[in-house]
Amino acid sequence: MTPKPVAKWFTLPVFTRKPRFWLGATPIGFYEKSDTLFLTTIGNGVFPTDNAHGAVHRLVRRGLTQGYQPGATAIANLRRPVFVAYGDLNKDGHEDVVACEFGNETGQLAWFENSGRGSYQKRILNERPGAISAVMKVLFTWKIKES
């Protein structure tokens, strides 16, 4: 039996004047940052698949408009991303992305290093499926000055 497709219209009544727009994939999470909204889509439905139809979409606020408008896709071809975390992993001042891709038989934990120019360099942290959540922690190094 083939599962029924999930609705892929995303409604942003608070963010945009347009009541909705077509994503083409099922949204699973979002992250808001000043004038940008990052929207993660899992692909075609929520059922396990090895197809790389997931993505992180960038929605932007332009000028003095009240809402967000669709922008470029930040990260494409994700294999069923179930969780995405944001933070500056390499302390270069640009926010990176860690994606938990949990397909059916494939998947991985990947770090997408932000170039600072709107693109991301993919670095695989673990090539096996199974990661369903990621937490970024700041670790401090304390230097004690001797007197």
Side-chain angles (χ1 to χ4, degrees):
M1 178 176 176
T2 305
K4 291 183 179 180
V6 178
K8 296 176 182 99
W9 286 98
F10 188 66
T11 304
L12 289 173
V14 174
F15 302 118
T16 182
R17 289 183 188 161
K18 292 182 180 180
R20 60 188 187 163
F21 58 91
W22 179 254
L23 282 175
T26 306
I28 60 148
F30 71 93
Y31 171 68
E32 189 174 12
K33 181 180 168 185
S34 62
D35 63 346
T36 307
L37 180 77
F38 292 94
L39 181 68
T40 304
T41 57
I42 199 167
N44 298 323
V46 296
F47 298 103
T49 178
D50 290 327
N51 295 330
H53 295 157
V56 176
H57 302 276
R58 183 182 291 124
L59 305 170
V60 293
R61 187 179 308 187
R62 304 194 193 280
L64 300 175
T65 60
Q66 289 182 330
Y68 291 95
Q69 302 299 319
T73 299
I75 301 170
N77 303 320
L78 297 175
R79 282 192 175 94
R80 197 172 162 261
V82 294
F83 189 83
V84 176
Y86 299 84
D88 187 1
L89 288 178
N90 57 355
K91 300 198 181 264
D92 64 354
H94 305 295
E95 199 163 47
D96 305 315
V97 177
V98 172
C100 300
E101 298 177 70
F102 198 154
N104 187 29
E105 308 243 348
T106 63
Q108 61 193 358
L109 179 66
W111 163 31
F112 293 87
E113 183 180 359
N114 189 340
S115 70
R117 297 180 301 276
S119 63
Y120 292 85
Q121 172 77 32
K122 183 177 185 175
R123 302 184 188 285
I124 298 173
L125 301 175
N126 189 331
E127 278 191 271
R128 294 176 292 174
I132 58 170
S133 184
V135 176
M136 293 189 196
K137 255 184 148 172
V138 177
L139 301 176
F140 293 97
T141 303
W142 294 92
K143 293 184 181 179
I144 300 173
K145 187 175 181 181
E146 294 182 25
S147 30

